């Protein structure tokens, strides 16, 4: 909804530095500097460029391991990012006394709004997801204000909390028939009384947020989305043709083998019948030399040749090969 190809917004967290101490669980320590939430990092997905923008309003303190969920306003007029929980990386040191509150960053105003509700609990490390219209589900995590959080019982059943993003209240359960999301009154009230846009830190960023998202690709890239789609279609057609040709060729090959097997089988049967007639007529069967130069009972030459080489077995090997090729 913003820019030609959309944007990516980065919030808070800690900077990637080598920790100077161990927090006991292999995570970042209090020594890792925290990115302030008063400054938001924006990435232009179309032109592949980074920006930063200063926010206004009741911004939360810097933190990490918080969860976020986003929801569009009516007619894509605004976009609200809901931030819940978080900590600074030190157990039992809740320097974020608001880690139990939900904060809203509304775009394009880049305005923070604090949604304080007594039904919440301090939480860090949870996951959030928009479910069922206007509801945000928080799952898992721990209480960063406790040193024995792994032994403390979770006040929420199964560690699940449900937040109504329009009423700005934690609820007692999930509502499968909840209404679609609409921005809360505190958000709409802000836009009614203030400018839709902030004081921009960068003119290019202003252009980015005042340009409609066309979901296209720049011409300077190797290929656009339509070319990619055409290529994918052509590839699928080529693969389908190759598979169809392989199947038809395999069927023809198997048919030829079946006919050959039938012909040889019939020929062997005819030889056997002829041999039976010769025995019935008293025609002697020529002897065959054995390993010691003597004679041994003669075998049916032609019939035994086919029995030894076994054309059906050869056909079987060909069938397995053809099947493996077609797979």
């Amino acid at each position: 909804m913003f820019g030609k190809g959309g944007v990516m917004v980065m919030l808070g967290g800690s900077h990637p530095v080598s920790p100077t101490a161990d927090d006991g669980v292999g995570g970042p320590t209090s020594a890792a500097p925290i990115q302030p939430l008063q400054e938001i990092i924006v990435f232009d997905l179309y032109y592949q460029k980074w920006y930063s923008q200063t926010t206004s309003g009741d911004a939360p303190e810097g933190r990490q391991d918080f969860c976020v969920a986003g929801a569009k306003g009516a007619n894509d007029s605004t976009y609200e990012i809901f931030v819940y929980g978080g900590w600074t990386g030190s157990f039992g040191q809740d320097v974020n006394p608001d880690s139990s509150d939900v904060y809203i960053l509304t775009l394009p105003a880049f305005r923070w709004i604090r949604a304080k509700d007594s039904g919440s609990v301090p939480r860090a490390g949870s996951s959030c997801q928009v479910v069922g219209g206007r509801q945000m589900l928080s799952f898992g995590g721990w209480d960063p204000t406790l040193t024995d959080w792994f032994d403390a019982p979770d006040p929420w059943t199964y560690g699940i909390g449900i937040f109504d993003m329009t009423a700005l209240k934690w609820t007692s359960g999930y509502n499968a028939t909840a209404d679609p999301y609409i921005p809360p009154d505190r958000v709409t009230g802000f836009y009614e009384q203030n400018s839709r846009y902030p004081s921009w830190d960068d003119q290019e960023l202003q252009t980015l947020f005042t340009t409609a998202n066309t979901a296209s690709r720049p011409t300077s890239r190797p290929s656009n989305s339509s070319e990619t789609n055409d290529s994918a279609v052509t590839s699928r057609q080529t693969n389908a043709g190759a598979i169809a040709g392989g199947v038809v060729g395999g069927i023809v090959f198997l048919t030829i083998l079946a006919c050959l097997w039938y012909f040889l089988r019939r020929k062997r049967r005819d030889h056997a019948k002829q041999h039976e007639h010769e025995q019935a007529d008293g025609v002697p069967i020529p002897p065959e030399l054995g390993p010691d130069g003597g004679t041994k009972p003669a075998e049916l030459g032609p019939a035994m040749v086919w029995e030894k080489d076994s054309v059906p077995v050869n056909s079987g090997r060909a069938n397995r090969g053809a099947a493996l090729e077609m797979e």
Side-chain angles (χ1 to χ4, degrees):
M1 56 186 295
F2 300 119
K4 291 184 177 181
V7 298
M8 178 177 68
V9 178
M10 297 183 63
L11 307 169
S14 59
H15 291 274
V17 297
S18 299
T20 58
D22 186 8
D23 66 352
V25 293
T29 69
S30 57
I34 300 296
Q35 170 69 23
L37 286 167
Q38 290 86 351
E39 180 187 10
I40 304 300
I41 308 299
V42 179
F43 183 66
D44 184 348
L45 296 174
Y46 186 85
Y47 289 109
Q48 305 284 293
K49 188 173 182 180
W50 293 96
Y51 301 94
S52 65
Q53 174 62 39
T54 304
T55 63
S56 63
D58 194 359
E61 295 295 328
R63 62 194 63 195
Q64 61 191 18
D65 294 326
F66 53 86
C67 71
V68 296
K72 290 183 179 181
N75 301 320
D76 293 346
S77 57
T78 65
Y79 192 93
E80 280 69 60
I81 300 175
F82 291 78
V83 174
Y84 171 52
W87 70 325
T88 58
S90 297
F91 288 105
Q93 299 180 16
D94 185 17
V95 296
N96 297 124
D98 55 354
S99 63
S100 60
D101 295 333
V102 174
Y103 282 83
I104 307 168
L105 178 66
T106 180
L107 304 176
F110 284 87
R111 177 80 176 186
W112 283 107
I113 297 174
R114 184 177 182 180
K116 193 171 184 178
D117 182 61
S118 59
S120 181
V121 296
R123 183 82 41 171
S126 65
S127 297
C128 290
Q129 180 66 45
V130 176
V131 294
R134 55 195 267 179
Q135 299 166 102
M136 179 182 75
L137 181 147
S138 171
F139 175 74
W142 65 85
D143 187 341
T145 64
L146 303 176
T147 56
D148 59 345
W149 60 271
F150 40 84
D151 291 328
D154 197 315
W156 284 343
T157 304
Y158 301 116
I160 297 176
I162 302 292
F163 184 76
D164 188 320
M165 297 184 296
T166 298
L168 302 184
K169 290 186 177 295
W170 292 95
T171 64
S172 58
Y174 173 73
N175 181 6
T177 60
D179 294 331
Y181 170 77
I182 58 174
D185 293 340
R186 296 184 61 185
V187 171
T188 56
F190 170 80
Y191 283 106
E192 289 173 357
Q193 300 177 14
N194 298 274
S195 171
R196 175 175 170 80
Y197 301 105
S199 176
W200 296 105
D201 293 352
D202 192 299
Q203 288 301 117
E204 290 185 4
L205 186 62
Q206 176 181 2
T207 303
L208 175 62
F209 274 84
T210 55
T211 301
N213 184 351
T214 58
S216 60
R217 297 289 184 269
T219 56
S220 60
R221 295 186 182 180
S223 62
N224 57 33
S225 57
S226 61
E227 291 173 347
T228 301
N229 292 336
D230 292 342
S231 176
V233 171
T234 303
S235 177
R236 287 194 297 268
Q237 291 174 345
T238 302
N239 292 338
I243 294 172
V247 171
V248 173
I251 293 174
V252 172
F253 180 71
L254 295 177
T255 302
I256 294 173
L257 287 177
C259 293
L260 179 61
W261 176 80
Y262 176 78
F263 171 78
L264 295 176
R265 181 181 176 88
R266 183 173 180 179
K267 186 175 181 180
R268 185 184 64 180
R269 186 177 56 193
D270 293 340
H271 276 289
K273 288 183 178 180
Q274 181 180 358
H275 173 68
E276 292 174 358
H277 292 161
E278 290 175 349
Q279 285 184 325
D281 296 336
V283 177
I285 299 175
E288 181 178 350
L289 291 176
D292 55 354
T295 60
K296 66 175 183 178
E299 296 174 341
L300 297 180
M304 201 61 191
V305 168
W306 293 120
E307 196 65 35
K308 273 174 102 175
D309 291 348
S310 182
V311 173
V313 173
N314 289 338
S315 299
R317 286 202 295 270
N319 288 342
R320 287 193 295 272
L324 290 173
E325 271 311 309
M326 287 189 286
E327 290 176 358

